[in-house]
Amino acid sequence: MSAVSLQGIDISYGSVDVVRNLDLDIKSGEFVVFVGPSGCGKSTTLRLIAGLEEGRSGEISIGGRVVNEIDPAKRDVAMVFQNYALFPHMSVADNISFGMRLRGEAKEKIAASVADVARMVGLQDHLHKRPGALSGGQRQRVALARAIVRKPAVFLFDEPLSNLDAEFRAAMRYELSRLHRELGSTMIYVTHDQVEAMTMGDRIAVLAPLKQAGRSNLMQFGTPEEVYHRPANLFVAKFIGSPPMNLFEVRMENGEVRLGSVSLRIGGSIPAALTVGIRPEHVLINVGEGPSIDATVEGMENLGHEKLWFLATGIGRVVARTQDNVQHITGEKVSLRFPGERLHLFDSATGERMPEDSLVRGKG
Amino acid sequence: MSTSASFRRRLWPYVVAVVAVAVSLFPIFWILTIALKSRMDAFAMPPVWFFSPVWENFGRAWSAQGFSGAFFNSLIVCAIGNVLALAAGIPAAYYLNKRHVPGRRTILILLLISYMLPEFLFIVPMYVLFQSIGLYDTVIGLALIYQVFTLPFTIWLLRAFFADIPEALAEAARLEGAGTLRIVWTIYVPIAAPGIAATVILNSIKMWNELTIALALTFEKAQTVTLAVAGFRGYASIDWGAMSAASIIIILPMALFAILAQRRIVQGLSLGAVK
């Protein structure tokens, strides 16, 4: 078990900056997920920790030891690659034991370790096969076994489940979480899939491409609850959650902002332009009393366990999520209510979240 | 009616294939018949189609002065030439696939140009050089000079085969503590083995059939099969029977090689074509 710390990391490819000013402190034994869209530098940062990529500046330490100049093999990390990176000409057993054989460990010890790990990931009946004879899920297990057998201080996962079909992915998500509990190792997991991020991470680091990010790629580093319920900025608010948060640009008038027929009182220092956000599941349709926003039902997607409603309003399109038993018809007039405690306020200019006390009380 | 149309459509590929095979195999067939005919039958007009084969041409060819020696010389030149080409070509191909090699494109283009240069360009300077450093008329010398075409070809071909190997494999091995040499030897070479086999075969055929350079840079000791076959042409007469038999003998090793390795060649040349 080892903590991983990144301080002031800059990475560029030629003249193009990919990562800038990245500071991250990952606790020992923590499962941290790097999530973000393509080009946000999440894989690059992971590869930097592994030693497969070189940064322009900054300090990387693993277990309190600065590893910038240390060979990848000696950093005490194991990596699972997106395309598994199995050696196609070697049996499963040889793939798993590749590193041990390289280090010249005793045959009996290798055989025992391989058998142990194979049992752990359910590969005991496939040890003699070549990777080509295995399914995608089994291949991923081989890659996992090859990492586990090293007993590394830190596991690095580079989108390990993205090549699997949905059914396998859910099962592997669960297994990886179980593995983390069993081994207690520090794990860093890169994905663009927010479901993986939300379900697996102790903490999530949301990264943005530099073009959208500004000073640093790191948009927010927090627990899944924090990232979902208190997004630090508009980028996180838009990126986490599916369908994404409803966002409305509003203007201040006499210390109040108007959201359709609803007015909100704002305290503290107020920027000229604000963005108000609400998650689809917090939008109430024909529920509650008081000021409401008139809307017309434009369409619905039935996901089985829930329904997504697409609603046209004077302030723009609103998406609402309800239970499966709610019924409306297309073209129906409804009234929407946004509970004040569920609203998110952002400074439109900087994209930053406003302090929690700025919303005095939504009258709606 | 429609059955006969579809039959005709299915017939066409076979017709084309049979014609192509006949055209390309006819010279070999003709040489084989000359090799198997007595001197009388060989040049009878009209050609004798039915004859009792004689084997003495083969015996005369093999025991002709210098022929068996030339045969083994060619084998050795091919062996050494391939070892040299792979020894330099494998590491070169590996590195020329890396992103961060400065001047990578220039190096590759230069290699391609050197491959395309006509062979006789090297003859005059190499004749002088080989004489002075003692490589003239040696198999080592020939294997070395053949690198002007085998090495660029090897590098280009292996580079393409290596490019199909995901870089993550090398990275995974590196994380386990493997150095570059071990990565190339235990990962790249075994995975690209069909490609390497195809390269060796194509290089061998080229070296085995080479005449111009061998003519200029050997005299007696290091003569190769192509020269030995030409040797059956005397001042006054040509021993067509022995020459044909010798031609058949020198075709055999490469034909055997190609047949045995055919699956590998096809596998190698289509490596990575289907993921």
Side-chain angles (χ1 to χ4, degrees):
Chain A
M1 282 208 283
S2 280
V4 175
S5 162
L6 303 176
Q7 299 301 329
I9 299 295
D10 289 325
I11 309 171
S12 39
Y13 288 137
S15 59
V16 183
D17 287 357
V18 183
V19 174
R20 197 186 296 152
N21 276 320
L22 185 64
D23 300 324
L24 268 181
D25 278 303
I26 296 165
K27 292 181 214 140
S28 182
E30 201 172 17
F31 196 124
V32 167
V33 178
F34 292 175
V35 69
S38 311
C40 71
K42 54 190 190 296
S43 281
T44 311
T45 306
L46 192 80
R47 292 166 54 80
L48 178 90
I49 298 171
L52 297 173
E53 210 77 54
E54 268 182 52
R56 197 153 44 81
S57 60
E59 194 177 273
I60 315 145
S61 45
I62 299 174
R65 178 178 65 139
V66 176
V67 296
N68 284 42
E69 301 299 324
I70 291 178
D71 189 80
K74 301 201 172 101
R75 293 189 179 195
D76 205 7
V77 299
M79 186 153 165
V80 177
F81 293 82
Q82 178 176 3
N83 54 11
Y84 322 130
L86 300 179
F87 308 126
H89 56 300
M90 295 182 196
S91 68
V92 169
D94 284 349
N95 263 284
I96 296 174
S97 64
F98 181 80
M100 297 184 84
R101 286 185 288 128
L102 211 62
R103 291 185 287 275
E105 292 185 23
K107 273 212 169 93
E108 304 75 52
K109 192 182 165 201
I110 293 177
S113 301
V114 169
D116 255 8
V117 174
R119 207 170 318 114
M120 205 166 172
V121 297
L123 280 174
Q124 57 270 47
D125 300 329
H126 305 284
L127 284 174
H128 58 283
K129 291 184 189 163
R130 295 274 177 94
L134 302 179
S135 69
Q138 287 168 333
R139 286 181 208 181
Q140 195 50 273
R141 280 162 211 268
V142 179
L144 202 58
R146 189 172 63 186
I148 297 169
V149 82
R150 283 194 71 177
K151 303 194 179 75
V154 180
F155 281 89
L156 305 173
F157 297 99
D158 190 3
E159 308 218 18
L161 307 186
S162 57
N163 284 0
L164 300 180
D165 47 31
E167 184 192 347
F168 262 131
R169 222 179 299 156
M172 285 297 287
R173 270 207 312 262
Y174 177 75
E175 279 191 44
L176 282 176
S177 296
R178 177 181 63 88
L179 194 72
H180 178 240
R181 279 196 304 277
E182 267 176 42
L183 300 174
S185 310
T186 310
M187 295 188 174
I188 305 176
Y189 187 104
V190 163
T191 182
H192 61 264
D193 182 318
Q194 45 170 306
V195 178
E196 286 176 19
M198 293 296 290
T199 52
M200 298 167 82
D202 292 329
R203 280 198 290 170
I204 300 174
V206 183
L207 301 171
L210 273 182
K211 263 189 296 193
Q212 298 165 53
R215 206 192 71 83
S216 162
N217 301 65
L218 186 62
M219 294 284 100
Q220 188 167 5
F221 188 33
T223 64
E225 283 76 32
E226 285 168 349
V227 167
Y228 191 79
H229 292 296
R230 297 194 62 241
N233 46 52
L234 280 171
F235 181 87
V236 178
K238 285 179 197 162
F239 188 76
I240 301 287
S242 173
M245 187 184 278
N246 297 295
L247 294 166
F248 314 100
E249 285 257 2
V250 291
R251 297 211 153 267
M252 284 298 301
E253 279 164 33
N254 312 323
E256 280 192 346
V257 294
R258 295 197 65 79
L259 201 57
S261 57
V262 183
S263 51
L264 305 166
R265 279 238 306 283
I266 311 289
S269 67
I270 317 288
L274 280 171
T275 301
V276 177
I278 185 164
R279 295 240 175 246
E281 59 270 33
H282 298 143
V283 174
L284 303 176
I285 307 177
N286 289 347
V287 174
E289 291 187 353
S292 63
I293 294 166
D294 295 332
T296 311
V297 177
E298 276 191 326
M300 183 268 286
E301 281 180 1
N302 190 345
L303 303 182
H305 62 296
E306 62 182 24
K307 286 176 177 169
L308 297 177
W309 298 95
F310 301 90
L311 307 149
T313 72
I315 53 171
R317 150 83 67 86
V318 174
V319 179
R321 191 201 305 267
T322 68
Q323 290 188 323
D324 58 341
N325 55 4
V326 174
Q327 299 284 354
H328 297 287
I329 51 167
T330 307
E332 188 181 331
K333 303 282 182 206
V334 292
S335 55
L336 306 181
R337 287 186 181 79
F338 300 162
E341 69 277 12
R342 295 297 197 182
L343 291 178
H344 305 260
L345 276 183
F346 302 94
D347 178 341
S348 300
T350 63
E352 294 301 312
R353 184 184 186 85
M354 301 282 292
E356 288 313 289
D357 55 3
S358 23
L359 186 66
V360 176
R361 194 65 209 152
K363 290 189 288 187
Chain B
M1 187 150 142
S2 77
T3 7
S4 85
S6 92
F7 175 75
R8 244 179 293 153
R9 212 169 326 130
R10 268 184 299 148
L11 195 65
W12 265 114
Y14 291 101
V15 172
V16 173
V18 166
V19 169
V21 168
V23 166
S24 53
L25 285 187
F26 183 75
I28 295 173
F29 165 76
W30 197 247
I31 289 178
L32 186 64
T33 60
I34 292 178
L36 290 173
K37 281 175 182 172
S38 64
R39 203 170 300 207
M40 282 283 286
D41 290 343
F43 293 97
M45 260 311 155
V48 182
W49 292 103
F50 299 99
F51 57 90
S52 48
V54 291
W55 299 96
E56 57 169 58
N57 285 329
F58 285 91
R60 210 164 63 252
W62 186 256
S63 56
Q65 205 203 339
F67 183 76
S68 56
F71 189 85
F72 289 115
N73 279 345
S74 276
L75 283 180
I76 295 167
V77 167
C78 275
I80 298 175
N82 273 310
V83 168
L84 289 177
L86 291 180
I90 289 173
Y94 176 78
Y95 273 108
L96 286 173
N97 259 345
K98 299 256 158 233
R99 269 179 296 172
H100 309 298
V101 177
R104 183 175 76 147
R105 270 185 64 85
T106 317
I107 295 171
L108 285 169
I109 289 170
L110 285 177
L111 283 171
L112 199 61
I113 291 173
S114 89
Y115 179 68
M116 293 187 303
L117 288 177
E119 283 133 21
F120 57 78
L121 247 171
F122 302 104
I123 289 173
V124 175
M126 284 302 147
Y127 183 79
V128 179
L129 183 70
F130 271 39
Q131 291 271 19
S132 63
I133 59 175
L135 284 175
Y136 179 76
D137 201 17
T138 61
V139 285
I140 299 275
L142 266 190
L144 268 175
I145 190 68
Y146 284 169
Q147 297 308 310
V148 299
F149 52 80
T150 50
L151 193 53
F153 184 73
T154 305
I155 293 172
W156 266 88
L157 219 55
L158 290 186
R159 202 180 74 90
F161 293 132
F162 286 174
D164 286 333
I165 300 173
E167 213 176 333
L169 294 191
E171 292 176 343
R174 218 174 125 204
L175 282 173
E176 297 279 7
T180 305
L181 208 67
R182 191 181 290 270
I183 289 172
V184 172
W185 188 246
T186 59
I187 312 284
Y188 277 70
V189 169
I191 295 177
I196 294 173
T199 310
V200 166
I201 289 161
L202 295 172
N203 274 337
S204 300
I205 291 172
K206 177 110 184 176
M207 286 190 278
W208 187 266
N209 291 334
E210 204 285 330
L211 174 68
T212 324
I213 295 177
L215 185 63
L217 297 183
T218 65
F219 182 68
E220 188 192 352
K221 290 200 307 281
Q223 281 217 335
T224 58
V225 282
T226 43
L227 289 168
V229 169
F232 285 98
R233 204 178 54 173
Y235 273 116
S237 67
I238 299 176
D239 186 349
W240 289 107
M243 196 183 198
S244 303
S247 302
I248 294 297
I249 293 172
I250 74 164
I251 290 170
L252 283 179
M254 286 302 120
L256 218 67
F257 200 13
I259 291 166
L260 288 178
Q262 189 202 25
R263 228 168 49 110
R264 289 245 134 169
I265 302 179
V266 174
Q267 206 183 347
L269 293 179
S270 62
L271 201 68
V274 186
K275 272 280 171 211

